[in-house]
Amino acid sequence: MSVLPQRATAPVPVPPRPQGGVLGPAYRTLSIGVISVVFLIAFEATAVGTAMPVAARELKGIGLYAFAFSAYFTTSLFGMVLSGQWADRQGPLRPLTVGIGAFAAGLVCSGTAGAMWMFVLGRAVQGFGGGLVIVALYVVVSRAYEERLRPAIMAAFAASWVVPSIVGPLASGTVTEHLGWRWVFLGIPALVFVPLAVALPAIRRSASGPVDPEAPPVAFDRRRIRLALGISAGAGLLQYAAQDLRWLSLLPGLAGVALLVPAVLGLLPRGTYRARRGLPSVVLLRGVAAGSFIAAESFVPLMLVTQRGLSPTLAGFSLALGGVTWAAGSWVQSKGRVEPYRRRLMVLGMIMVAAAIAGAPAVLVAWVPVWTLALVWALGCLGMGLVIGSTSVLLLKLSAPEEAGENSAALQISDALANVVLLAAGGAAFAALGGGAVGAVHSVGGGGASAATHPAAFVVVFLPMACVALVGAWVATRLDGNPPGREPGGQGLTRRD
């Protein structure tokens, strides 16, 4: 086992401490800029999720429904590693700019797709851009905001999902029903100009360039780039094998695992998958929480449209309350007085997530009111707000300034990789129980469930994900750790295998 050499760390100048909060005079423009970027991502996620069932059905790609989601996460893995190195060496401005451009280009590709493979390709391009953007934003937070303000800006990120969670499904569903799903994808790129105009000048002033401008330039770590390509290719092969349920699919599946294992061991903190205390458990928890929740949530609109006959608008809008409760959970974790109880709140949050995922399939029973899913999912989103915001805060707390990019990339890799693996597993189970035929006889506007439905295909997605979330509750008990470089034995938390 080899350890990558630590980069020499020059003293980082400490600027005078600005007064006020994230919207005070010193931070106002920057905060509005980065929040506008998150708002764009949030609006895209909620709008596209509503249109996705109709797009997959019209392109005759219901069987590849899970792949349309996981393609985004697969390519984002490479974007995250590249962005982490790029931002640590040259600052977050360039990866953020390129990422937003790729994000918009992917939407256009999907919106003009004539076949499901082209739709998935667009999602892949979009995922690469999203990977660049999310890590660059974390580096901006690490460099531009002092530690006392980081929980608040993370809570603001979560709050920026509230309006899109309410407006996004309604607008997307209305556009899908009256103009067609393509206009959902083609209309969102027009929103890119606002984040670019507001965020980039503010980031250039406060967080651009390397941490130590006088230090000699550090070359990109080619080994990590190769590992990033390996993890992306491996995740793609694994997802393909999960969607093609034949014995021959074992070959790409095994090849995917062979690429993934060394890449994961090389890119994530040592001890991540042993739930080692401190930073490794923070990174692991992020993947367990996000993977189990997103893998389940991806099937919620499809379940409501095909099993309960809801329109795409109502199916997406049923998740709108979750945006409010997610923001509420993130707001709670941002309060200074809850800091001594942060880890207990994260355990509680994971229990909420597990309960919500396990309770969602209850709407498959005809006499259970559909609105109960909105309440159940709101509980899960409250738990996610407590957990996701806290993992971000703990990661930056346990990271040295010059390693914020790589550690943020590790956090996001865990998030995205768990999404790919769990979506692959859920998609395979869904397809194995006849999920590929689900919704084939339904119209866009609903009209009641058909006798040819397959409710068991949804159950085998949700219940295993609830078990994964319960594992996350245990991982949340192991988050206590030491600051970077102060681990017993003198071994920094941020070193890799």
Side-chain angles (χ1 to χ4, degrees):
M1 182 182 297
S2 63
V3 177
L4 291 179
Q6 295 275 61
R7 292 191 297 275
T9 56
V12 179
V14 179
R17 177 173 174 172
Q19 299 298 316
V22 295
L23 292 179
Y27 294 103
R28 184 178 296 124
T29 303
L30 176 63
S31 296
I32 292 173
V34 295
I35 289 171
S36 68
V37 175
V38 177
F39 183 90
L40 168 67
I41 296 172
F43 190 84
E44 180 275 337
T46 55
V48 166
T50 302
M52 194 77 77
V54 179
R57 186 162 52 208
E58 289 192 6
L59 294 173
K60 297 180 175 60
I62 288 288
L64 297 177
Y65 182 78
F67 202 43
F69 283 95
S70 62
Y72 180 101
F73 298 115
T74 299
T75 53
S76 70
L77 291 167
F78 179 72
M80 290 167 187
V81 177
L82 179 62
S83 183
Q85 293 207 37
W86 200 351
D88 279 344
R89 288 156 176 76
Q90 300 179 16
L93 185 63
R94 291 181 181 177
L96 186 64
T97 305
V98 174
I100 292 177
F103 191 81
L107 283 165
V108 172
C109 182
S110 291
T112 57
M116 193 64 180
W117 69 266
M118 186 175 178
F119 183 88
V120 172
L121 176 64
R123 293 286 292 165
V125 173
Q126 189 184 347
F128 173 71
L132 290 174
V133 169
I134 191 64
V135 172
L137 284 177
Y138 272 64
V139 177
V140 171
V141 171
S142 173
R143 292 192 182 188
Y145 294 88
E146 53 188 295
E147 187 173 327
R148 70 181 179 89
L149 294 178
R150 290 173 188 166
I153 191 62
M154 292 300 175
F157 285 176
S160 66
W161 280 74
V162 174
V163 172
S165 296
I166 297 173
V167 176
L170 181 61
S172 175
T174 301
V175 171
T176 298
E177 292 178 31
H178 296 285
L179 298 178
W181 62 268
R182 295 182 186 277
W183 288 103
V184 175
F185 289 84
L186 296 176
I188 293 175
L191 302 176
V192 166
F193 298 103
V194 174
L196 284 174
V198 178
L200 299 187
I203 294 172
R204 183 180 292 109
R205 289 192 298 270
S206 59
S208 61
V211 173
D212 184 1
E214 298 181 358
V218 179
F220 278 73
D221 187 338
R222 294 183 180 180
R223 174 179 175 270
R224 289 181 64 81
I225 297 297
R226 289 195 300 270
L227 291 175
L229 289 171
I231 201 172
S232 296
L237 287 170
L238 190 64
Q239 177 66 24
Y240 172 79
Q243 291 295 312
D244 188 18
L245 300 179
R246 297 180 298 171
W247 285 109
L248 286 177
S249 299
L250 288 175
L251 295 178
L254 291 174
V257 172
L259 289 170
L260 275 177
V261 171
V264 168
L265 292 177
L267 292 172
L268 299 186
R270 183 189 309 164
T272 295
Y273 288 103
R274 298 195 306 271
R276 184 178 176 183
R277 289 190 178 275
L279 182 64
S281 285
V282 173
V283 172
L284 176 60
L285 178 61
R286 178 59 165 260
V288 170
S292 59
F293 189 80
I294 298 301
E297 187 176 59
S298 298
F299 286 87
V300 168
L302 187 66
M303 180 171 64
L304 293 177
V305 169
T306 62
Q307 304 301 297
R308 297 303 298 264
L310 268 66
S311 67
T313 303
L314 291 178
F317 200 64
S318 66
L319 303 179
L321 182 60
V324 178
T325 57
W326 190 312
S330 191
W331 177 81
V332 169
Q333 67 81 32
S334 73
K335 301 290 104 177
R337 58 180 175 272
V338 307
E339 185 62 34
Y341 311 102
R342 181 178 297 280
R343 289 154 183 84
R344 294 182 186 178
L345 285 175
M346 295 173 78
V347 173
L348 176 61
M350 288 309 304
I351 293 173
M352 290 178 179
V353 171
I357 296 173
V363 297
L364 293 169
V365 180
W367 54 264
V368 175
V370 174
W371 55 262
T372 59
L373 187 141
L375 298 180
V376 167
W377 214 247
L379 175 68
C381 287
L382 176 63
M384 287 294 286
L386 294 172
V387 173
I388 298 301
S390 291
T391 56
S392 302
V393 170
L394 289 175
L395 176 104
L396 295 178
K397 184 177 182 180
L398 293 171
S399 299
E402 70 278 1
E403 292 185 329
E406 285 192 7
N407 288 345
S408 297
L411 188 77
Q412 298 300 328
I413 287 169
S414 178
D415 186 318
L417 183 61
N419 274 284
V420 170
V421 171
L422 293 179
L423 271 169
F430 181 74
L433 271 73
V438 169
V441 296
H442 296 279
S443 64
V444 173
S450 166
T453 56
H454 299 263
F458 292 97
V459 174
V460 297
V461 172
F462 286 93
L463 295 188
M465 298 308 158
C467 294
V468 173
L470 283 177
V471 172
W474 171 76
V475 176
T477 66
R478 302 181 57 80
L479 302 180
D480 294 302
N482 299 304
R486 297 181 184 176
E487 190 179 16
Q491 183 172 287
L493 285 170
T494 54
R495 292 191 179 189
R496 305 290 196 274
D497 287 317

